[in-house]
Amino acid sequence: MPRNNKSSLIQKIASQACVTFTNCSSSAIGDNKVFLEQQTELATLISDIRAADLKIAPPKKVSISSPQSSAVPPVTYMHICETDAFSMGVFLLKSGASIPLHDHPGMNGMLKVLYGKVNIRCYDKLDKAVGAESETERQFEPPLLPFQRDDVRRAVLRSSGLYSEQSGPCILTPLKDNLHEIDAVDGPTAFLDILAPPYDPDDGRDCHYYRVLQTAGKKSEQSGEDETWLLEIPQPDDFWCGGEPYPGPEVSV
């Protein structure tokens, strides 16, 4: 693995991600001083990455009358590298595109905008509080079908913010800001994405999608913030992700 001063920034990020996430126990990271120090170092490196470092640039404007404009995927992904400990790549969102609300079971993550702007809304699932109104008792509008009741979860909107290339990374953990939705704002956007460990359905890390049902009128007993209710849903029909080649510096992990 290259470690000299001539290493590209993306190589240095990959190397630090290996150090940060290899042999990392997701159940104990919150109290792990070494992990937090390594995570901070990784976040510092990611804060400096720019689109030009990866040889990507915002797309040229495409006429809305183009016959291909409705056929291309709203989101594409450039794979950079993957190990058992983490995966890294670039998501590119067309103007007006969104990545629906989804989760990252047992995973850490970092997202750094390379160009454009995104609005990110992050949620946490909540345990059912003693005496709290249950999913089966609460009424929703429109009413849920009986089979949907088992797929309702209490949650809290943890944060909502606008990120640009000047912003630091958005960071998620297995317990905080783990669910999020990402909307491109005022044009196309791209962001570097690191997930640790990678999605792996065979190891219990599959991606689940959610729809916000209703915000409760009371404050959460656990967080003091507004509660909301999420319904787990299939992948939305209007969202799909294509692939395209990564043109940046080679990364070795």
Side-chain angles (χ1 to χ4, degrees), residues 170-242:
C170 176
I171 298 175
L172 63 90
T173 77
L175 298 177
K176 187 174 181 180
D177 296 328
N178 191 265
L179 291 80
H180 62 207
E181 58 185 344
I182 304 167
D183 302 318
V185 177
D186 298 334
T189 187
F191 59 85
L192 180 69
D193 188 70
I194 295 178
L195 290 176
Y199 281 114
D200 183 355
D202 293 334
D203 200 24
R205 296 189 303 278
D206 201 359
C207 183
H208 308 91
Y209 295 91
Y210 299 86
R211 175 164 58 88
V212 177
L213 291 177
Q214 182 174 333
T215 301
K218 59 184 178 181
K219 296 294 183 180
S220 165
E221 297 175 23
Q222 296 187 14
S223 66
E225 301 176 63
D226 287 337
E227 288 184 6
T228 193
W229 297 82
L230 306 180
L231 174 67
E232 184 176 336
I233 60 173
Q235 179 173 320
D237 292 337
D238 59 354
F239 170 72
W240 72 103
C241 187

Side-chain angles (χ1 to χ4, degrees), residues 5-184:
N5 291 333
K6 294 183 180 180
S7 295
S8 65
L9 179 54
I10 193 64
Q11 175 65 63
K12 293 176 181 177
I13 289 172
S15 299
Q16 182 59 40
C18 282
V19 172
T20 302
F21 297 118
T22 298
N23 300 321
C24 169
S25 171
S26 61
S27 63
I29 60 172
D31 299 321
N32 189 324
K33 180 180 179 181
V34 173
F35 170 80
L36 294 176
E37 291 174 348
Q38 293 172 345
Q39 184 188 53
T40 298
E41 186 171 346
L42 178 59
T44 299
L45 287 171
I46 292 176
S47 295
D48 291 335
I49 197 75
R50 297 293 182 266
D53 296 318
L54 305 182
K55 299 182 180 180
I56 66 174
K60 296 180 180 179
K61 291 185 178 180
V62 178
S63 170
I64 59 174
S65 62
S66 169
Q68 296 181 344
S69 61
S70 61
V72 297
V75 178
T76 54
Y77 182 73
M78 294 177 175
H79 174 77
I80 298 178
C81 64
E82 181 171 326
T83 71
D84 290 341
F86 78 99
S87 63
M88 182 166 67
V90 176
F91 281 96
L92 302 100
L93 280 65
K94 303 292 189 291
S95 181
S98 299
I99 298 179
L101 182 61
H102 61 285
D103 62 2
H104 308 81
M107 300 157 70
N108 293 277
M110 290 190 181
L111 180 163
K112 174 64 177 71
V113 174
L114 300 171
Y115 65 72
K117 293 182 290 186
V118 295
N119 188 74
I120 305 176
R121 292 168 62 86
C122 297
Y123 295 79
D124 291 348
K125 291 180 183 177
L126 297 177
D127 295 330
K128 188 182 298 184
V130 176
E133 188 175 15
S134 73
E135 293 89 334
T136 57
E137 295 170 345
R138 187 164 186 82
Q139 299 300 311
F140 299 98
E141 185 63 38
L144 297 180
L145 298 174
F147 72 88
Q148 293 177 313
R149 288 284 178 176
D150 291 337
D151 296 323
V152 176
R153 304 287 184 269
R154 285 178 66 238
V156 62
L157 175 61
R158 183 66 67 191
S159 63
S160 178
L162 192 65
Y163 291 78
S164 70
E165 59 187 291
Q166 284 78 38
S167 305
C170 176
I171 298 175
L172 63 90
T173 77
L175 298 177
K176 187 174 181 180
D177 296 328
N178 191 265
L179 291 80
H180 62 207
E181 58 185 344
I182 304 167
D183 302 318

